[in-house]
Amino acid sequence: MNISKPRVIKDFEKLDNSIQEQIKLVHPEGFSQHLITFTNKDGMLVSALPFETDEKYYLVRMTTQQAEDIISDDDDYDDEGVLKDESRSEFEDKYAELDYIAENIEDSDSDDEDEDD
C-alpha cells in the first residue's frame, strides 16, 4: 500500500457505483473472507474490506454478516454467492483499462490456486 494515498473509510452502499462494480470484479466469490479488522479513531475495533485504486485506499466498513447479506441481495451474484458470468464480462469490459483491476484479478486467481493445495 502506498502510504501517501488518501484513506477512505465508507460503507459499501455509499460508494460510487463504479467502485462497487470494481470491488465485485476483484472479489467475484464474495467479500466476507477478505475482511480485515482495524481500530478506528475512536478506539473501536471495526471490520472492513480493503480495496485500493490508483488514487485512494478504501476501507469499506462491513461486518461478516453484512458482507454475506450484500452478496445474497445483489442481482449480480448467483444463489451460490458467485459473480454471474454476464456481470463479470460487463465489468471486465467496462474496467479493462484500469491496471490495478487487472493486477488484483490476477492476484485473486493465484490466491485461489494456493487455497487448493
Side-chain angles (χ1 to χ4, degrees), residues 87-115:
S87 296
R88 185 178 190 139
S89 293
E90 175 190 339
F91 298 157
E92 284 174 345
D93 291 344
K94 205 176 205 182
Y95 303 109
E97 79 285 353
L98 300 176
D99 290 337
Y100 63 86
I101 292 293
E103 291 168 6
N104 282 317
I105 291 173
E106 290 170 7
D107 288 347
S108 68
D109 289 345
S110 64
D111 289 348
D112 292 343
E113 289 170 11
D114 292 343
E115 290 175 8

Side-chain angles (χ1 to χ4, degrees), residues 49-86:
L49 178 70
F51 182 72
E52 190 170 0
T53 68
D54 288 338
E55 299 84 30
K56 296 178 183 175
Y57 182 78
Y58 291 91
L59 289 168
V60 185
R61 271 188 308 245
M62 64 180 75
T63 64
T64 302
Q65 186 61 54
Q66 287 170 324
E68 292 170 359
D69 290 347
I70 289 168
I71 299 302
S72 67
D73 294 342
D74 193 319
D75 292 337
D76 290 327
Y77 286 86
D78 64 19
D79 292 339
E80 303 298 317
V82 177
L83 189 62
K84 294 177 183 174
D85 290 339
E86 58 269 16

Side-chain angles (χ1 to χ4, degrees), residues 21-28 34 51 100-101 104-105 108:
E21 291 174 347
Q22 293 171 44
I23 291 172
K24 292 175 189 182
L25 188 54
V26 171
H27 299 294
H34 301 286
F51 182 72
Y100 63 86
I101 292 293
N104 282 317
I105 291 173
S108 68

